[in-house]
């Protein structure tokens, strides 16, 4: 399914970010994310957010190059030709990125791969549902006689909400609801295969989402969907519950009894140590592992999660911290940073399209906004020293935990810098001869 962690670092064929370079033995899916451009809709998604940035940097660099060039030729100041040439090359790349965002996104970003080979460029969205299911089912069939890990990252539920004709109009909640219905059917198909192959009682299945519903996604003036119930905020908002409180549904009939609800704090990083334990391995000891195995909670050998504190980031910025106070059972959450909703009190960043992690679109809180999630899961009533006698003690305890947490962090290269997000032709995955990157090996194979 959707990998969305990139492919290459230094050349078109190094595949440094590819799943096969990160522990997986087989990959079928798209290495980037799903965009409106993949469907060819009238409202571009990637282009919309990047075009202005690319054009601004292009103009700044052109102005700098012209200034240096004039200064050099008129002997106003001394500057090396190497600097001018490097700036000119950089400006050219930004210009090409800006120009390409107007038409080439579909051909260069909407890619389907099998292992290291591009099989469709651009990918055909009308076939992707059946292709993903066939690949997953084939993988189960090939590995049914030995232990396997199948990670299916569905392209549902995500804009542009690709839905087959069979499910269009199925829901009372528009295209978004139809897309959810189809996702549910796909999960059911995979569970049926597990059952039919006799793997039901010895297969651990975990269904979850990586974020809450997206609120800002729209088509024209119509909101496309995304609903987070009583919880504030949504996808991409750092710390609000609506963006990070997600379903966690587990099935293992041979081991875990049915109809149990566990009301304890867990996190998606718990999947890693859980899988390691299931496979009889040991987690690495040379680094801090933030996840905890879910098995003790699921099997009832412990009653409470090992997580006392959880740290909620937006990019590299710590937005909120959650504290499960073990002696009282209370769950506190402190927000250090929150996005500025547009319009005010709307619950989303509708004018921007996506909430920023830093800059003029966020608010810093000192002291932090504090909520008692045990009593106020909607985060509607921030506490203060006047309304909560333990306010200062709680804020201080959470602050100490942040300091200890930061000691465990190791700096890494910034992957979200402007340079790393700038399009580079020498890294572009291409099926064919660049820039003519298109092929359809899926149809040829069929």
């Amino acid at each position: 399914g959707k990998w969305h962690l990139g492919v290459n670092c230094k050349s078109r064929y190094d595949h440094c970010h590819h799943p096969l370079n990160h522990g997986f033995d087989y990959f079928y899916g798209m290495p980037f994310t799903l965009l409106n451009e993949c469907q060819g809709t009238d409202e571009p998604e990637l282009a919309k957010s990047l075009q202005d940035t690319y054009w601004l940097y292009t103009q700044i660099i052109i102005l700098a190059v012209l200034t240096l060039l004039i200064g050099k030729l008129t002997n106003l100041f001394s500057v090396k030709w190497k600097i001018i040439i490097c700036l000119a090359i950089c400006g050219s790349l930004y210009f090409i990125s800006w120009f390409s965002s107007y038409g080439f996104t579909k051909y260069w970003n909407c890619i389907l791969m099998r292992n290291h080979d591009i099989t469709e460029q651009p990918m055909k969205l009308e076939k992707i549902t059946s292709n993903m299911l066939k690949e997953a089912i084939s993988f189960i069939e090939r590995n049914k006689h030995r232990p396997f890990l199948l990670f299916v990252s569905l392209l549902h539920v995500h804009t542009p909400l690709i839905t087959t004709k069979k499910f269009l109009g199925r829901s009372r909640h528009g295209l978004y609801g139809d897309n959810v219905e189809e996702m549910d059917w796909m999960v059911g198909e995979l569970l049926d295969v597990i059952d039919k192959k006799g793997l039901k009682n010895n297969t651990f299945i975990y269904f979850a989402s990586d974020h809450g519903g997206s609120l800002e996604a729209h088509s024209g003036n119509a909101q496309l969907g995304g609903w987070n119930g009583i919880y504030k905020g949504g996808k991409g908002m750092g710390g609000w519950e609506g963006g990070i409180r997600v379903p966690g549904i587990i099935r293992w009939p041979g081991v875990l009894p049915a109809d149990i609800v566990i009301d304890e704090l867990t996190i998606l990083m718990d999947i890693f140590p859980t899988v390691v334990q299931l496979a009889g391995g040991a987690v690495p000891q040379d680094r801090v592992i933030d996840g905890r195995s879910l098995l003790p909670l699921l099997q009832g050998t412990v009653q409470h999660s090992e997580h006392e504190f959880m740290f909620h980031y937006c990019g590299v910025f710590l937005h909120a911290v959650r504290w499960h106070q073990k002696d009282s059972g209370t769950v506190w959450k402190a927000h250090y940073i929150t996005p500025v909703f547009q319009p005010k009190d709307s619950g989303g960043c509708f004018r921007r399209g996506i909430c920023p992690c830093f800059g003029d679109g966020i608010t810093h809180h000192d002291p932090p906004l504090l909520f008692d999630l045990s009593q106020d899961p909607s985060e509607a009533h921030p506490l203060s020293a006047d309304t909560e006698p333990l306010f200062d003690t709680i804020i201080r305890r959470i602050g100490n935990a942040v300091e200890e947490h930061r000691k465990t962090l190791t700096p890494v290269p910034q992957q979200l810098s402007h340079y790393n997000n700038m399009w580079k032709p020498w890294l572009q995955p291409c099926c064919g001869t660049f820039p003519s990157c298109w092929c359809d090996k899926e149809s040829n194979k069929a």
Side-chain angles (χ1 to χ4, degrees):
K2 186 175 72 168
W3 177 241
H4 197 176
L5 292 175
V7 183
N8 303 317
C9 289
K10 295 181 179 179
S11 77
R12 189 173 298 162
Y13 306 106
D14 65 23
H15 299 123
C16 68
H17 297 306
H18 193 282
L20 299 194
N21 267 14
H22 293 275
F24 289 91
D25 301 308
Y26 181 81
F27 171 66
Y28 179 83
M30 58 185 312
F32 307 130
T33 191
L34 190 61
L35 300 161
N36 286 346
E37 284 90 337
C38 296
Q39 196 176 39
T41 58
D42 294 330
E43 296 186 22
E45 190 173 357
L46 183 68
K48 179 181 176 184
S49 61
L50 291 179
Q51 278 167 358
D52 291 343
T53 302
Y54 285 150
W55 184 235
L56 174 64
Y57 278 89
T58 300
Q59 290 175 307
I60 291 172
I61 294 173
I62 288 174
L63 184 61
V65 169
L66 289 175
T67 303
L68 294 175
L69 198 57
I70 291 170
K72 175 79 171 178
L73 296 176
T74 58
N75 294 318
L76 285 174
F77 47 80
S78 176
V79 61
K80 293 181 179 179
W81 280 110
K82 186 186 295 184
I83 295 175
I84 296 175
I85 293 170
C86 286
L87 269 175
I89 292 172
C90 192
S92 300
L93 289 175
Y94 272 111
F95 175 78
I96 294 171
S97 297
W98 169 78
F99 182 78
S100 67
S101 68
Y102 280 91
F104 291 102
T105 301
K106 178 176 181 178
Y107 291 95
W108 289 343
N109 282 9
C110 305
I111 299 169
L112 198 59
M113 297 183 79
R114 179 180 284 104
N115 294 324
H116 290 142
D117 297 325
I118 299 171
T119 62
E120 276 188 0
Q121 190 174 11
M123 60 193 288
K124 294 179 174 60
L125 293 187
E126 65 273 12
K127 296 180 179 178
I128 196 64
T129 299
S130 60
N131 284 349
M132 291 289 180
L133 268 178
K134 287 176 184 175
E135 285 289 331
I137 292 169
S138 174
F139 181 86
I140 295 170
E141 178 65 41
R142 294 196 305 271
N143 293 279
K144 62 184 178 182
H145 296 303
R146 61 179 182 174
F148 64 83
L149 169 69
L150 171 61
F151 173 41
V152 182
S153 182
L154 299 170
L155 304 188
H156 302 59
V157 175
H158 193 291
T159 52
L161 297 173
I162 50 169
T163 308
T164 59
K165 292 181 180 179
K166 177 182 175 182
F167 284 89
L168 288 175
R170 178 79 67 93
S171 163
R172 293 179 297 163
H173 301 284
L175 183 58
Y176 181 90
D178 296 342
N179 205 244
V180 173
E181 294 264 357
E182 185 164 55
M183 176 193 69
D184 182 57
W185 170 78
M186 292 174 72
V187 173
E189 290 291 296
L190 292 176
L191 294 180
D192 286 346
V193 172
I194 294 289
D195 294 352
K196 289 173 182 175
K197 301 298 178 185
L199 304 173
K200 180 176 181 178
N201 288 343
N202 60 350
T203 302
F204 179 89
I205 297 170
Y206 184 22
F207 174 88
S209 176
D210 58 341
H211 52 68
S214 173
L215 303 180
E216 291 90 355
H218 65 278
S219 178
N221 294 323
Q223 188 177 351
L224 284 177
W227 182 69
N228 298 310
I230 66 170
Y231 303 112
K232 180 181 284 188
K235 174 184 177 181
M237 294 191 193
W240 293 120
E241 289 294 279
I244 55 181
R245 189 183 285 241
V246 297
I249 305 171
I250 293 170
R251 189 185 85 153
W252 194 6
V255 179
L256 305 177
D259 301 324
I260 289 178
V261 177
I262 299 175
D263 188 16
E264 286 290 312
L265 300 174
T266 64
I267 196 166
L268 288 180
M269 286 186 282
D270 294 337
I271 296 173
F272 172 65
T274 303
V275 168
V276 169
Q277 184 177 350
L278 286 168
V283 297
Q285 299 298 309
D286 61 343
R287 69 203 72 183
V288 174
I289 301 295
D290 293 300
R292 300 289 183 267
S293 174
L294 295 170
L295 295 182
L297 268 179
L298 296 172
Q299 294 174 330
T301 57
V302 300
Q303 298 303 309
H304 298 291
S305 165
E306 288 186 50
H307 293 290
E308 184 178 6
F309 293 94
M310 288 184 179
F311 304 92
H312 303 298
Y313 282 82
C314 185
V316 298
F317 301 94
L318 181 64
H319 275 216
V321 179
R322 183 187 311 257
W323 177 28
H324 187 192
Q325 194 175 3
K326 300 291 177 137
D327 53 357
S328 68
T330 305
V331 179
W332 308 99
K333 192 161 75 169
H335 288 264
Y336 293 94
I337 300 173
T338 56
V340 177
F341 290 147
Q342 298 173 329
K344 186 180 180 181
D345 301 325
S346 63
C349 301
F350 294 96
R351 290 177 188 159
R352 286 179 177 263
I354 186 170
C355 289
C357 298
F358 62 95
D360 61 357
I362 58 100
T363 301
H364 289 271
H365 300 282
D366 186 14
L369 292 180
L370 181 67
F371 297 93
D372 177 359
L373 297 184
S374 316
Q375 304 296 323
D376 180 24
S378 299
E379 299 175 283
H381 308 290
L383 303 172
S384 67
D386 295 329
T387 58
E388 174 52 60
L390 297 175
F391 181 87
D392 291 332
T393 303
I394 295 165
I395 293 298
R396 188 163 50 250
R397 179 69 184 90
I398 291 176
N400 292 338
V402 170
E403 291 303 313
E404 291 300 313
H405 162 68
R406 284 183 169 143
K407 291 176 185 176
T408 71
L409 302 179
T410 303
V412 295
Q414 172 59 276
Q415 296 297 316
L416 300 176
S417 66
H418 284 297
Y419 177 77
N420 280 331
N421 277 275
M422 182 174 67
W423 177 72
K424 304 178 184 70
W426 58 90
L427 298 184
Q428 176 64 51
C430 184
C431 185
T433 303
F434 183 82
S436 302
C437 301
W438 45 80
C439 64
D440 184 3
K441 297 179 182 177
E442 294 288 327
S443 295
N444 295 340
K445 179 184 174 185

